[in-house]
Amino acid sequence: MLLLFLPFFSINSLPTHTAILIQTKRMSSRQLIARGQTTLYIQKDSYTISQSLGEYVFPADHSGKLLSAVTLTSTIKVVLGDSEYKDFTIGAIIKPTGFSSITVDNSRKTVTYTVASGTTILADHGSLDIPITIAGTVYRLSFVWSKAKAGTPGPAGADANLLDWVREWNTGKTLIDSHTVITPKLLPV
């Protein structure tokens, strides 16, 4: 009988009749885990599905109207174990209200989203479902979006709603413990 204890070994180089012993720091002695003719299989990981762009924040004015046209392209990637897997398809995607178009390109494995400038009907936030079919099974990715709205414009020449101490500081003098200190006036940027 051959006893083998190797911290690093190639499974393909093991003889067919091998006993494998393992010893860890917690074990006081070696422990036999296999004897005789043993077949070892290396399991591959499950599918890992990712996309290059999974979320986006659209810039908008205070009313929610988009300031410019936006076109985004996301690449879908599938990995099986440590190898890229190309035999998958991207299914039909339901276009939410406000999007001009959503285009799926299964040869390049991409999804392109387009929203027109001036759009006012795009929801403030939302998500859409991206179906990915691998070997007959459908997996789901999502793309999420939100809007970053500008603040409501105030009247021309009037200060914004300022805290009391900031308003006082902005006058050119500030009272600190009964002492008046000259302070600079805030200038608009």
Side-chain angles (χ1 to χ4, degrees), residues 76 88-96 101-106 110-113 128-133 138-143:
I76 309 295
F88 68 92
T89 57
I90 305 167
I93 300 171
I94 297 170
K95 180 176 69 86
S101 67
I102 297 177
T103 306
V104 172
D105 184 343
N106 271 306
T110 60
V111 178
T112 302
Y113 311 96
L128 54 86
D129 191 45
I130 305 167
I132 308 296
T133 304
V138 178
Y139 300 92
R140 308 241 176 241
L141 287 175
S142 63
F143 174 80

Side-chain angles (χ1 to χ4, degrees), residues 47-128:
Y47 297 106
T48 302
I49 306 169
S50 61
Q51 58 184 325
S52 61
L53 181 67
E55 59 189 45
Y56 188 76
V57 178
F58 293 96
D61 69 8
H62 67 282
S63 68
K65 180 173 79 171
L66 296 191
L67 303 173
S68 61
V70 178
T71 299
L72 311 165
T73 300
S74 180
T75 302
I76 309 295
K77 184 176 179 181
V78 177
V79 175
L80 177 60
D82 58 355
S83 303
E84 189 167 356
Y85 185 82
K86 298 257 187 200
D87 192 21
F88 68 92
T89 57
I90 305 167
I93 300 171
I94 297 170
K95 180 176 69 86
T97 301
F99 280 76
S100 301
S101 67
I102 297 177
T103 306
V104 172
D105 184 343
N106 271 306
S107 63
R108 294 179 44 221
K109 306 298 185 192
T110 60
V111 178
T112 302
Y113 311 96
T114 305
V115 180
S117 175
T119 297
T120 58
I121 57 174
L122 180 66
D124 287 348
H125 55 83
S127 67
L128 54 86

